[in-house]
Amino acid sequence: MNFLNLLNAMPGAVAQGLIWGITAIGIYITFRILDIADLTVDGSLCTGGAVCIMMMLSGHNVFISMIAATFAGMLAGLVTGLFHTFMGIPAILSGILTQLALYSVNLKIMGKANQAINVDKYDLLVSLRYIKGVPFYKNTIFVVAICIVLLVLLLYWFFGTELGCALRATGCNGNMSRAQGINTNLSKVLGLMISNGLVGFSGALLSQYQGFADVNMGRGAIVIGLAAVIIGEAIFGRIFHNFGFKLIGVALGSIIYYLVLQTVIWMGVDTDLLKLLSAVVVAVFLAIPFWKDKYFKKSVVKKGGNTNA
Protein backbone atom coordinates (compact mmCIF):
# COMPACT_ATOMS: atom_id res chain seq x y z
CA MET A 1 0.00 0.00 0.00
CA ASN A 2 1.49 3.30 -1.10
CA PHE A 3 0.84 6.08 1.45
CA LEU A 4 1.41 8.67 -1.29
CA ASN A 5 -1.68 7.40 -3.12
CA LEU A 6 -3.74 8.07 0.02
CA LEU A 7 -2.39 11.61 0.32
CA ASN A 8 -3.16 12.29 -3.35
CA ALA A 9 -6.73 11.08 -2.88
CA MET A 10 -7.38 13.22 0.23
CA PRO A 11 -8.21 16.55 -1.55
CA GLY A 12 -10.88 14.76 -3.58
CA ALA A 13 -12.31 13.20 -0.41
CA VAL A 14 -12.43 16.63 1.27
CA ALA A 15 -14.22 18.14 -1.75
CA GLN A 16 -16.76 15.32 -1.86
CA GLY A 17 -17.21 15.54 1.91
CA LEU A 18 -17.97 19.27 1.67
CA ILE A 19 -20.56 18.71 -1.06
CA TRP A 20 -22.25 15.99 0.98
CA GLY A 21 -21.95 18.31 3.98
CA ILE A 22 -24.70 20.47 2.46
CA THR A 23 -26.93 17.39 2.28
CA ALA A 24 -26.01 16.64 5.90
CA ILE A 25 -27.07 20.16 6.95
CA GLY A 26 -30.41 19.59 5.21
CA ILE A 27 -30.85 16.27 7.04
CA TYR A 28 -29.89 17.95 10.34
CA ILE A 29 -32.83 20.35 9.93
CA THR A 30 -35.39 17.55 9.69
CA PHE A 31 -33.71 15.02 11.95
CA ARG A 32 -32.59 17.26 14.83
CA ILE A 33 -34.74 20.39 14.58
CA LEU A 34 -38.07 18.97 13.35
CA ASP A 35 -37.50 15.48 14.81
CA ILE A 36 -38.57 13.88 11.52
CA ALA A 37 -36.76 11.05 9.75
CA ASP A 38 -37.16 12.25 6.16
CA LEU A 39 -36.31 9.68 3.48
CA THR A 40 -37.18 12.07 0.64
CA VAL A 41 -33.49 12.98 0.36
CA ASP A 42 -32.66 9.73 -1.46
CA GLY A 43 -34.79 11.04 -4.32
CA SER A 44 -34.41 14.82 -4.05
CA LEU A 45 -30.60 14.62 -4.29
CA CYS A 46 -30.93 13.07 -7.75
CA THR A 47 -33.72 15.52 -8.65
CA GLY A 48 -31.40 18.45 -7.95
CA GLY A 49 -28.61 16.89 -10.00
CA ALA A 50 -30.93 15.94 -12.87
CA VAL A 51 -32.50 19.40 -13.12
CA CYS A 52 -29.12 21.12 -12.99
CA ILE A 53 -27.50 18.93 -15.64
CA MET A 54 -30.47 19.03 -18.02
CA MET A 55 -30.79 22.81 -17.77
CA MET A 56 -27.07 23.26 -18.46
CA LEU A 57 -27.24 20.85 -21.40
CA SER A 58 -30.09 22.95 -22.79
CA GLY A 59 -27.93 26.08 -22.62
CA HIS A 60 -28.79 27.69 -19.28
CA ASN A 61 -26.28 29.41 -17.01
CA VAL A 62 -24.82 27.29 -14.18
CA PHE A 63 -26.20 29.61 -11.48
CA ILE A 64 -29.72 29.61 -12.96
CA SER A 65 -29.51 25.81 -13.23
CA MET A 66 -28.50 25.48 -9.59
CA ILE A 67 -31.29 27.79 -8.41
CA ALA A 68 -33.76 25.66 -10.40
CA ALA A 69 -32.29 22.52 -8.80
CA THR A 70 -32.79 24.04 -5.35
CA PHE A 71 -36.42 24.87 -6.11
CA ALA A 72 -36.95 21.35 -7.49
CA GLY A 73 -35.70 19.96 -4.17
CA MET A 74 -38.00 22.32 -2.28
CA LEU A 75 -40.93 21.09 -4.38
CA ALA A 76 -40.09 17.50 -3.41
CA GLY A 77 -40.09 18.59 0.24
CA LEU A 78 -43.45 20.30 -0.27
CA VAL A 79 -44.95 17.05 -1.59
CA THR A 80 -43.66 15.13 1.45
CA GLY A 81 -44.97 17.86 3.74
CA LEU A 82 -48.44 17.74 2.19
CA PHE A 83 -48.50 13.94 2.41
CA HIS A 84 -47.73 14.24 6.10
CA THR A 85 -49.84 17.24 7.15
CA PHE A 86 -52.73 17.43 4.68
CA MET A 87 -53.21 13.68 4.11
CA GLY A 88 -52.23 12.52 7.60
CA ILE A 89 -49.62 10.01 6.42
CA PRO A 90 -46.80 9.33 8.94
CA ALA A 91 -43.67 11.36 8.19
CA ILE A 92 -41.39 8.41 7.45
CA LEU A 93 -43.92 6.84 5.07
CA SER A 94 -44.49 10.23 3.39
CA GLY A 95 -40.78 10.43 2.62
CA ILE A 96 -40.74 6.89 1.23
CA LEU A 97 -43.72 7.65 -1.05
CA THR A 98 -42.12 10.85 -2.39
CA GLN A 99 -38.77 9.10 -2.85
CA LEU A 100 -40.49 6.32 -4.82
CA ALA A 101 -42.34 8.81 -7.01
CA LEU A 102 -39.15 10.83 -7.63
CA TYR A 103 -37.46 7.80 -9.22
CA SER A 104 -39.92 8.03 -12.13
CA VAL A 105 -39.81 11.84 -12.12
CA ASN A 106 -36.01 11.82 -12.34
CA LEU A 107 -36.09 9.37 -15.25
CA LYS A 108 -38.51 11.66 -17.07
CA ILE A 109 -36.38 14.74 -16.36
CA MET A 110 -33.24 13.12 -17.78
CA GLY A 111 -34.91 11.00 -20.45
CA LYS A 112 -32.72 8.05 -19.44
CA ALA A 113 -30.97 6.65 -16.36
CA ASN A 114 -27.77 8.69 -16.79
CA GLN A 115 -26.86 12.06 -18.27
CA ALA A 116 -23.23 13.17 -18.57
CA ILE A 117 -21.84 16.70 -18.87
CA ASN A 118 -18.39 17.56 -20.22
CA VAL A 119 -16.32 20.00 -18.17
CA ASP A 120 -14.48 21.07 -21.34
CA LYS A 121 -17.69 22.11 -23.11
CA TYR A 122 -19.66 23.59 -20.22
CA ASP A 123 -18.74 26.20 -17.63
CA LEU A 124 -19.19 24.18 -14.43
CA LEU A 125 -18.93 25.72 -10.98
CA VAL A 126 -17.18 22.67 -9.50
CA SER A 127 -15.51 19.62 -10.98
CA LEU A 128 -13.17 16.78 -10.10
CA ARG A 129 -10.74 18.45 -12.49
CA TYR A 130 -10.75 21.62 -10.38
CA ILE A 131 -9.07 19.99 -7.38
CA LYS A 132 -5.46 20.53 -8.43
CA GLY A 133 -3.66 22.82 -10.84
CA VAL A 134 -6.28 25.60 -10.86
CA PRO A 135 -6.38 29.09 -9.26
CA PHE A 136 -7.58 28.96 -5.62
CA TYR A 137 -10.82 30.84 -6.43
CA LYS A 138 -11.74 28.09 -8.91
CA ASN A 139 -10.72 25.22 -6.63
CA THR A 140 -13.71 22.99 -5.80
CA ILE A 141 -12.83 22.87 -2.09
CA PHE A 142 -12.71 26.68 -1.85
CA VAL A 143 -15.91 27.19 -3.86
CA VAL A 144 -17.97 24.67 -1.86
CA ALA A 145 -16.54 25.94 1.45
CA ILE A 146 -17.71 29.46 0.55
CA CYS A 147 -21.15 28.06 -0.37
CA ILE A 148 -21.39 26.34 3.03
CA VAL A 149 -20.39 29.48 4.94
CA LEU A 150 -23.01 31.53 3.06
CA LEU A 151 -25.69 28.87 3.61
CA VAL A 152 -24.88 28.64 7.34
CA LEU A 153 -25.10 32.44 7.68
CA LEU A 154 -28.44 32.44 5.84
CA LEU A 155 -29.83 29.60 7.99
CA TYR A 156 -28.53 31.23 11.18
CA TRP A 157 -30.38 34.41 10.27
CA PHE A 158 -33.56 32.56 9.27
CA PHE A 159 -33.77 30.43 12.42
CA GLY A 160 -33.41 33.61 14.46
CA THR A 161 -36.54 35.12 12.89
CA GLU A 162 -40.03 34.62 14.27
CA LEU A 163 -40.83 32.06 11.58
CA GLY A 164 -37.57 30.19 12.20
CA CYS A 165 -38.15 30.14 15.96
CA ALA A 166 -41.66 28.78 15.34
CA LEU A 167 -40.12 25.99 13.26
CA ARG A 168 -37.65 25.13 16.03
CA ALA A 169 -40.42 25.23 18.64
CA THR A 170 -42.52 22.84 16.53
CA GLY A 171 -39.75 20.25 16.54
CA CYS A 172 -39.11 20.76 20.25
CA ASN A 173 -42.71 20.46 21.47
CA GLY A 174 -45.54 20.37 18.93
CA ASN A 175 -48.37 20.45 21.48
CA MET A 176 -46.97 23.47 23.31
CA SER A 177 -46.34 25.22 19.98
CA ARG A 178 -49.97 24.75 18.95
CA ALA A 179 -51.07 26.06 22.34
CA GLN A 180 -49.02 29.20 21.63
CA GLY A 181 -50.83 29.71 18.32
CA ILE A 182 -48.09 28.36 16.02
CA ASN A 183 -49.24 26.67 12.83
CA THR A 184 -47.21 23.48 13.29
CA ASN A 185 -48.30 22.00 9.96
CA LEU A 186 -46.93 25.04 8.14
CA SER A 187 -43.69 24.77 10.14
CA LYS A 188 -43.28 21.11 9.21
CA VAL A 189 -43.91 21.73 5.52
CA LEU A 190 -41.52 24.70 5.51
CA GLY A 191 -38.82 22.70 7.31
CA LEU A 192 -39.11 19.84 4.83
CA MET A 193 -38.92 22.30 1.93
CA ILE A 194 -35.80 24.01 3.29
CA SER A 195 -34.15 20.66 4.00
CA ASN A 196 -34.81 19.20 0.55
CA GLY A 197 -33.93 22.50 -1.11
CA LEU A 198 -30.46 22.18 0.44
CA VAL A 199 -30.29 18.55 -0.67
CA GLY A 200 -31.27 19.55 -4.22
CA PHE A 201 -28.55 22.23 -4.19
CA SER A 202 -26.06 19.62 -2.99
CA GLY A 203 -27.19 17.27 -5.77
CA ALA A 204 -26.55 20.01 -8.34
CA LEU A 205 -22.99 20.44 -7.03
CA LEU A 206 -22.41 16.69 -6.84
CA SER A 207 -23.56 16.05 -10.42
CA GLN A 208 -21.21 18.78 -11.67
CA TYR A 209 -18.36 17.45 -9.55
CA GLN A 210 -18.65 13.88 -10.84
CA GLY A 211 -19.60 14.95 -14.38
CA PHE A 212 -22.97 13.21 -14.59
CA ALA A 213 -26.38 12.78 -13.00
CA ASP A 214 -27.53 9.24 -12.38
CA VAL A 215 -30.96 8.02 -11.30
CA ASN A 216 -29.34 6.02 -8.47
CA MET A 217 -26.94 8.74 -7.26
CA GLY A 218 -29.08 9.48 -4.21
CA ARG A 219 -29.37 5.90 -3.00
CA GLY A 220 -28.17 5.74 0.60
CA ALA A 221 -28.00 9.54 0.92
CA ILE A 222 -29.92 9.44 4.20
CA VAL A 223 -27.32 7.07 5.71
CA ILE A 224 -24.39 9.22 4.58
CA GLY A 225 -26.12 12.36 5.84
CA LEU A 226 -26.95 10.78 9.19
CA ALA A 227 -23.38 9.51 9.53
CA ALA A 228 -22.13 13.08 8.98
CA VAL A 229 -24.61 14.47 11.54
CA ILE A 230 -23.75 11.85 14.17
CA ILE A 231 -19.97 12.11 13.65
CA GLY A 232 -20.13 15.92 13.69
CA GLU A 233 -22.12 15.91 16.94
CA ALA A 234 -19.91 13.29 18.57
CA ILE A 235 -16.66 15.13 17.79
CA PHE A 236 -17.68 18.79 17.90
CA GLY A 237 -20.76 18.66 20.15
CA ARG A 238 -18.85 19.71 23.27
CA ILE A 239 -17.00 22.48 21.41
CA PHE A 240 -19.76 24.02 19.25
CA HIS A 241 -22.79 25.24 21.22
CA ASN A 242 -23.89 28.01 18.86
CA PHE A 243 -26.48 26.94 16.26
CA GLY A 244 -24.39 28.20 13.34
CA PHE A 245 -21.30 26.36 14.55
CA LYS A 246 -23.36 23.19 15.01
CA LEU A 247 -24.20 23.34 11.29
CA ILE A 248 -20.52 23.80 10.47
CA GLY A 249 -19.77 20.82 12.75
CA VAL A 250 -22.17 18.71 10.67
CA ALA A 251 -20.32 19.71 7.48
CA LEU A 252 -16.99 18.86 9.13
CA GLY A 253 -18.49 15.52 10.16
CA SER A 254 -19.17 14.82 6.48
CA ILE A 255 -15.54 15.58 5.61
CA ILE A 256 -14.32 13.23 8.36
CA TYR A 257 -16.68 10.53 7.09
CA TYR A 258 -15.23 10.73 3.57
CA LEU A 259 -11.64 10.88 4.84
CA VAL A 260 -12.26 7.70 6.85
CA LEU A 261 -13.96 6.13 3.84
CA GLN A 262 -10.97 6.97 1.64
CA THR A 263 -8.61 5.50 4.23
CA VAL A 264 -10.69 2.30 4.41
CA ILE A 265 -10.58 1.97 0.61
CA TRP A 266 -6.81 2.58 0.66
CA MET A 267 -6.42 -0.20 3.25
CA GLY A 268 -7.92 -2.63 0.75
CA VAL A 269 -11.33 -3.24 2.32
CA ASP A 270 -13.87 -4.63 -0.16
CA THR A 271 -15.81 -1.65 -1.57
CA ASP A 272 -18.96 -3.78 -1.63
CA LEU A 273 -18.95 -3.55 2.18
CA LEU A 274 -18.81 0.27 2.40
CA LYS A 275 -22.60 0.72 2.69
CA LEU A 276 -22.67 -1.92 5.42
CA LEU A 277 -19.86 -0.11 7.23
CA SER A 278 -21.75 3.19 7.00
CA ALA A 279 -24.93 1.60 8.37
CA VAL A 280 -23.04 0.05 11.29
CA VAL A 281 -21.31 3.36 12.14
CA VAL A 282 -24.64 5.24 12.15
CA ALA A 283 -26.35 2.50 14.20
CA VAL A 284 -23.60 2.49 16.84
CA PHE A 285 -23.48 6.28 17.20
CA LEU A 286 -27.28 6.48 17.42
CA ALA A 287 -27.25 3.78 20.09
CA ILE A 288 -24.63 5.47 22.29
CA PRO A 289 -27.08 7.94 24.00
CA PHE A 290 -29.49 5.06 24.70
CA TRP A 291 -26.72 2.89 26.14
CA LYS A 292 -25.57 5.79 28.31
CA ASP A 293 -29.06 6.28 29.78
CA LYS A 294 -29.77 2.58 30.21
CA TYR A 295 -26.48 1.23 31.53
CA PHE A 296 -24.14 4.02 32.61
CA LYS A 297 -26.63 6.11 34.63
CA LYS A 298 -28.01 3.03 36.42
CA SER A 299 -24.53 2.02 37.53
CA VAL A 300 -23.91 5.55 38.84
CA VAL A 301 -27.14 5.52 40.89
CA LYS A 302 -26.33 2.08 42.25
CA LYS A 303 -22.85 3.19 43.17
CA GLY A 304 -24.22 6.27 44.93
CA GLY A 305 -26.77 4.16 46.79
CA ASN A 306 -24.08 1.81 48.06
CA THR A 307 -21.97 4.77 49.17
CA ASN A 308 -24.86 6.34 51.08
CA ALA A 309 -25.64 3.01 52.70
Side-chain angles (χ1 to χ4, degrees), residues 130-197:
Y130 297 162
I131 296 293
K132 297 175 183 176
V134 293
F136 80 95
Y137 58 85
K138 203 173 182 181
N139 188 288
T140 295
I141 296 174
F142 176 78
V143 171
V144 181
I146 292 297
C147 288
I148 288 177
V149 170
L150 293 175
L151 285 172
V152 168
L153 288 173
L154 185 62
L155 290 170
Y156 184 79
W157 166 81
F158 171 75
F159 281 103
T161 63
E162 186 177 346
L163 187 58
C165 288
L167 199 154
R168 293 167 76 175
T170 298
C172 185
N173 191 323
N175 292 330
M176 182 61 75
S177 299
R178 279 189 291 274
Q180 295 296 322
I182 295 172
N183 188 335
T184 54
N185 284 342
L186 176 63
S187 295
K188 288 177 182 178
V189 172
L190 183 61
L192 287 164
M193 288 178 69
I194 293 171
S195 171
N196 284 282

Side-chain angles (χ1 to χ4, degrees), residues 20-86:
W20 277 94
I22 299 174
T23 294
I25 291 173
I27 291 172
Y28 180 88
I29 291 172
T30 51
F31 184 65
R32 285 299 188 214
I33 297 178
L34 278 180
D35 196 25
I36 292 174
D38 179 30
L39 298 181
T40 314
V41 295
D42 280 24
S44 58
L45 184 84
C46 176
T47 303
V51 169
C52 180
I53 293 299
M54 294 309 295
M55 286 195 68
M56 290 193 71
L57 289 176
S58 62
H60 291 86
N61 178 278
V62 63
F63 296 105
I64 300 297
S65 302
M66 289 178 66
I67 291 170
T70 304
F71 278 111
M74 292 180 76
L75 188 60
L78 173 63
V79 172
T80 300
L82 291 176
F83 277 159
H84 178 47
T85 58
F86 180 69

Side-chain angles (χ1 to χ4, degrees), residues 160-240:
T161 63
E162 186 177 346
L163 187 58
C165 288
L167 199 154
R168 293 167 76 175
T170 298
C172 185
N173 191 323
N175 292 330
M176 182 61 75
S177 299
R178 279 189 291 274
Q180 295 296 322
I182 295 172
N183 188 335
T184 54
N185 284 342
L186 176 63
S187 295
K188 288 177 182 178
V189 172
L190 183 61
L192 287 164
M193 288 178 69
I194 293 171
S195 171
N196 284 282
L198 290 170
V199 174
F201 181 79
S202 178
L205 287 172
L206 182 62
S207 60
Q208 292 178 64
Y209 176 78
Q210 62 191 14
F212 64 89
D214 186 271
V215 74
N216 291 314
M217 66 185 278
R219 183 172 292 176
I222 185 67
V223 176
I224 296 172
L226 281 176
V229 171
I230 300 302
I231 292 169
E233 287 180 337
I235 296 176
F236 304 105
R238 293 181 179 272
I239 306 170
F240 297 156

Side-chain angles (χ1 to χ4, degrees), residues 227-267:
V229 171
I230 300 302
I231 292 169
E233 287 180 337
I235 296 176
F236 304 105
R238 293 181 179 272
I239 306 170
F240 297 156
H241 301 289
N242 179 278
F243 177 70
F245 283 112
K246 283 183 179 180
L247 296 179
I248 291 174
V250 168
L252 292 175
S254 180
I255 295 173
I256 293 168
Y257 171 81
Y258 268 93
L259 289 176
V260 170
L261 208 64
Q262 193 64 54
T263 305
V264 167
I265 293 170
W266 171 75
M267 290 172 66

